[in-house]
Amino acid sequence: MPHRDFLRVAVLGAGHGGQAMAGWMAWQGHQVRLFNRSAEALMPLRSGLTLEGVVSGHVRLQVTTHIDEALDGADLVMVVTPATAHRPLAYRMVPHLSPEQVVLLHPGRTGGALEVARILAAAGLPNVVAEAETFLMASRVEAPGTARIYQIKQRVRVAAVPADQTRRVVELLQKIHPAFVPARNVLETSLQNIGAIFHPAPLLLNLGRVQAGLPFDHYHEGITPGVAAVMEEADRERTDLAARLGVEVLSARQWLRKAYGVDGRNLYESIQANRSYRGLKAPQTDRHRYLTEDVPTGLVPMVSLGKALGLPMAVMESLVRMAECLHRVEYSATGRTVESLGLAGLGPAAIRRTVELGFAPQAHRAGMEG
């Protein structure tokens, strides 16, 4: 790993997060190449990117639709895409990755680093794959060629596969921002996926309003006492799963207390007390990432892991089934499962050993298709 202060970074994904992150790193002086599968999002960036908000200025970016060009010579490959793109991107990266390159899923949702590390190892690649528990910043692309960074989080935990590489990855990331700190392992970052609790249930349980196009606040109006009760039970399943695996995670109420300084006698009261959620509108379509991403890469892997370890996971599974009926997609088959994470047939101790040691690369780089 280089000891110089400035990094060569490949950012994969030119959405809201990818553009802001690429711009932030370029503004700091890092050499950034921004990859996107479609050229349309990159066209306004060929003359540079204007940053607003936390920092202001204009930066130059190298942009490309060729993944080999983006990865060439990069110290860090930062994947800033919806989590549903992690698997196909991993297969697409295989022919072009160098073994010393670090891959960071930013964020990984639930099981992202395990899934990608297993794919790379099966292709004979020993790369360190890490995941962040959440995205570093709140940002939006406000106009073509302009990205606004509203806020940078104070603390973002990161873990690597294998776990003994976490400290090295964090030292690398702290050249980008000191908010990156080490987590114990990727079970900790994966099971602290609060979005899987806060997103699918309110959308599914307000489906009538969503499909009728009636605007409402996702949190303060969509989460009634009854909806919050369902969410709190799903959250208990998540924390029970973490306990079964020997991992400490914050409950949803504890997370709200730590992140926003709010509390209540139950999850409903805690959410209502959070002024930061005021005015955050619910999706106006059920084809939204709150379902299309948070179900297959949040709820499904938790259900799959829990049931494999003898936990019922009844509420989470019911939410998955509702989303499957709504979208006519078998998320429980296409999403992340113990099989795709390389954890099938393993008990808690063996799962912990796998996340600590990682996957042994196969002796040869196999031709693989995503």
Side-chain angles (χ1 to χ4, degrees):
M1 193 59 60
H3 294 288
R4 63 184 184 276
D5 290 332
F6 296 111
L7 304 174
R8 294 170 299 195
V9 186
V11 176
L12 308 187
H16 295 290
Q19 289 193 34
M21 196 71 223
W24 166 263
M25 290 188 291
W27 181 78
Q28 290 183 311
H30 301 290
Q31 181 183 323
V32 183
R33 289 186 185 137
L34 179 61
F35 164 83
N36 200 64
R37 185 176 59 180
S38 166
E40 184 177 358
L42 300 178
M43 290 300 293
L45 306 176
R46 296 191 180 278
S47 58
L49 175 68
T50 299
L51 293 172
E52 297 178 346
V54 172
V55 295
S56 298
H58 189 80
V59 296
R60 304 288 298 187
L61 299 173
Q62 297 181 54
V63 298
T64 181
T65 56
H66 301 285
I67 198 164
D68 57 336
E69 182 179 320
L71 299 184
D72 185 32
D75 307 310
L76 173 67
V77 180
M78 185 180 289
V79 181
V80 189
T81 65
T84 49
H86 292 167
R87 185 188 301 167
L89 266 177
Y91 287 113
R92 193 167 182 176
M93 286 191 287
V94 160
H96 311 294
L97 276 174
S98 298
E100 72 280 0
Q101 292 176 312
V102 171
V103 177
L104 173 72
L105 307 180
H106 193 188
R109 301 306 177 195
T110 299
L114 282 168
E115 182 175 55
V116 171
R118 186 196 65 80
I119 290 169
L120 299 187
L125 289 169
N127 297 70
V128 173
V129 181
E131 66 182 21
E133 65 181 350
T134 186
F135 190 58
L136 176 65
M137 53 188 62
S139 61
R140 298 291 291 177
V141 174
E142 297 208 324
T146 301
R148 176 175 291 274
I149 301 173
Y150 292 95
Q151 182 184 20
I152 296 179
K153 296 182 174 74
Q154 295 183 359
R155 183 172 179 265
V156 175
R157 294 184 304 170
V158 174
V161 179
D164 65 2
Q165 295 299 307
T166 295
R167 180 65 63 177
R168 184 165 70 95
V169 173
V170 169
E171 289 174 357
L172 182 72
L173 295 175
Q174 286 182 342
K175 295 181 179 183
I176 297 169
H177 200 280
F180 291 107
V181 298
R184 176 181 170 187
N185 56 40
V186 294
L187 292 177
E188 190 172 272
T189 50
S190 284
L191 295 178
Q192 194 59 66
N193 183 359
I194 292 293
I197 304 302
F198 281 13
H199 295 160
L203 197 160
L204 288 167
L205 298 177
N206 284 277
L207 190 58
R209 281 201 282 185
V210 171
Q211 291 188 329
L214 302 175
F216 64 96
D217 286 2
H218 178 81
Y219 291 95
H220 285 171
E221 295 178 321
I223 300 178
T224 61
V227 173
V230 173
M231 293 167 61
E232 200 149 23
E233 186 62 21
D235 193 53
R236 184 193 60 76
E237 293 176 349
R238 179 182 66 89
T239 57
D240 285 352
L241 173 58
R244 179 66 61 91
L245 288 167
V247 177
E248 291 186 10
V249 297
L250 298 175
S251 70
R253 286 176 60 196
Q254 290 169 331
W255 182 84
L256 285 167
R257 189 182 309 125
K258 189 174 185 65
Y260 296 103
V262 298
D263 206 352
R265 292 174 296 179
N266 50 46
L267 184 56
Y268 171 75
E269 289 187 0
S270 294
I271 288 172
Q272 295 301 312
N274 187 6
R275 295 184 178 182
S276 297
Y277 284 160
R278 286 183 180 173
L280 295 180
K281 295 300 180 184
Q284 293 189 313
T285 173
D286 62 71
R287 292 281 178 177
H288 190 272
R289 64 180 179 87
Y290 284 5
L291 296 183
T292 58
E293 181 179 15
D294 285 306
V295 172
T297 67
L299 292 179
V300 167
M302 291 189 203
V303 170
S304 183
L305 266 169
K307 294 183 73 174
L309 297 176
L311 298 173
M313 311 302 286
V315 175
M316 282 193 182
E317 188 171 22
S318 69
L319 295 171
V320 172
R321 295 286 180 257
M322 289 172 67
E324 289 180 327
C325 290
L326 176 64
H327 290 165
R328 300 183 184 277
V329 174
E330 290 188 56
Y331 287 123
S332 53
T334 61
R336 291 175 181 161
T337 63
V338 289
E339 288 78 18
S340 70
L341 301 183
L343 304 177
L346 303 183
I351 289 174
R352 289 194 296 270
R353 188 161 54 250
T354 298
V355 303
E356 293 292 330
L357 301 178
F359 303 98
Q362 291 186 2
H364 63 282
R365 291 177 64 159
M368 302 180 69
E369 295 183 0

